[in-house]
Amino acid sequence: MKALYENLLRVKYLPHVWCAGCGNGIVLGAFVRAFNYTGLDKNSTVIVSGIGCSGRVTQYLDFDTVHTTHGRALAFATGIKLANPELNVVVFMGDGDASAIGGNHLIHAARRNIDLTAIIINNSLYGMTGGQVAPTTPEGEQTKTTPYGNPEPPFDISKLVAAAGATYVARFTSYHVRWIEKAIAEALLHKGFSVVEAVIGCPTHMKKKPAELLKFQKEKFKRRKLPIQEITPYDIGIFINEIKPEFTEKLKEIQESAKRV
Ligand code: SF4
């Protein structure tokens, strides 16, 4: 009998390309365990990814996968879901991919409440291209392109998608891996636009040891019961979990009623 990871991973491509201690591998592992837990059929599931370090997941997951262009993962995923609403469609993006280049796709997918599971791996900078500032970089933070500190306030991705209409929104860090796993499982089973923001460290560009980054996450991020409007970027938890009409189902109803005219 094959081990779980052999059924869901393309083991021939391992070991992966991520830097030692990178959180991308932690999120990939959480996804594999969460997917297995849900009992969903991998043959009815499509995984879409964008560009960036997180985009490599589609190489390792043994599903039908599409590695798309920068910022357009949600646009491809929307097309796949509209073509066949029976499919489970999962979208992996980095924070730059999702909230900068693909920012409009993100807010409009949320606004429509289309049944996609978006896993946004947030390392708060552009990792693959050299550690540049991103829309999620904390104010004052030094990056390759802000050596004297970032002058811009950051996006809070969870707040952004909640305000735009996402019906499942959770944020955890790579230190809280069991909670990420549970949130991904819930998001996969959720009907509507679901977002799991997975905050990770980037040891290469943050110039910190992986253990130091995990310790920072453990000490800094807190799970408090707060309304979404009051959360800070260091709050973690399941912020939104509600049922609202889903886009492809509404579309089907409109198509059926149009046929009757
Ligand atoms: Fe991970 Fe950073 Fe390396 Fe990218 S650059 S693989 S985010 S540690």
Side-chain angles (χ1 to χ4, degrees):
M1 200 172 106
K2 280 184 169 179
L4 159 65
Y5 70 89
E6 288 180 273
N7 283 324
L8 300 179
L9 291 174
R10 295 176 181 141
V11 289
K12 66 180 176 183
Y13 293 121
L14 297 174
H16 57 66
V17 295
W18 294 312
C19 310
C22 172
N24 273 292
I26 295 174
V27 180
L28 178 66
F31 173 79
V32 167
R33 292 187 296 277
F35 188 87
N36 185 58
Y37 174 79
T38 62
L40 292 172
D41 178 9
K42 79 169 192 173
N43 295 315
S44 305
T45 303
V46 180
I47 315 281
V48 183
S49 70
I51 297 296
C53 298
S54 66
R56 300 304 291 257
V57 295
T58 40
Q59 184 174 0
Y60 306 126
L61 287 167
D62 192 17
F63 292 68
D64 286 321
T65 59
V66 195
H67 191 175
T68 69
T69 48
H70 208 183
R72 307 293 170 241
L74 276 171
F76 281 87
T78 299
I80 293 165
K81 188 72 183 177
L82 288 176
N84 185 354
E86 301 306 314
L87 293 173
N88 314 305
V89 183
V90 182
V91 192
F92 279 86
M93 294 169 284
D95 50 304
D97 199 35
S99 70
I101 304 97
N104 260 323
H105 296 300
L106 183 67
I107 57 174
H108 294 293
R111 176 177 64 84
R112 294 186 190 110
N113 193 31
I114 186 166
D115 186 26
L116 304 173
T117 303
I119 299 171
I120 302 177
I121 302 180
N122 180 359
N123 62 3
S124 72
L125 47 72
Y126 287 95
M128 184 173 268
T129 48
Q132 296 90 344
V133 70
T136 45
T137 306
E139 197 164 348
E141 196 85 354
Q142 289 178 322
T143 69
K144 194 65 71 67
T145 47
T146 56
Y148 303 104
N150 175 24
E152 299 180 9
F155 268 151
D156 180 324
I157 288 182
S158 287
K159 258 186 174 171
L160 179 70
V161 294
T167 48
Y168 183 94
V169 181
R171 171 166 60 216
F172 292 107
T173 79
S174 45
Y175 173 79
H176 307 90
V177 60
R178 293 294 174 201
W179 287 345
I180 290 189
E181 198 177 306
K182 185 170 181 288
I184 292 175
E186 285 186 354
L188 286 167
L189 297 172
H190 181 80
K191 190 82 182 162
F193 189 64
S194 53
V195 177
V196 177
E197 181 187 354
V199 176
I200 67 164
C202 171
T204 298
H205 296 301
M206 291 171 174
K207 297 190 175 35
K208 289 203 167 63
K209 291 183 181 154
E212 289 173 333
L213 292 168
L214 289 171
K215 190 164 180 279
F216 174 80
Q217 292 172 349
K218 178 187 176 189
E219 289 168 358
K220 186 83 179 174
F221 288 78
K222 298 291 172 220
R223 192 168 187 173
R224 306 183 291 170
K225 279 203 179 312
L226 287 175
I228 186 86
Q229 300 85 347
E230 293 177 25
I231 63 168
T232 73
Y234 296 109
D235 281 299
I236 52 174
I238 296 163
F239 304 126
I240 305 279
N241 188 2
E242 58 190 19
I243 299 298
K244 283 189 178 166
E246 190 276 326
F247 182 66
T248 61
E249 290 186 346
K250 282 201 286 183
L251 209 55
K252 194 173 169 196
E253 276 174 31
I254 292 168
Q255 286 164 342
E256 294 298 327
S257 67
K259 281 184 207 160
R260 291 195 290 273
V261 175

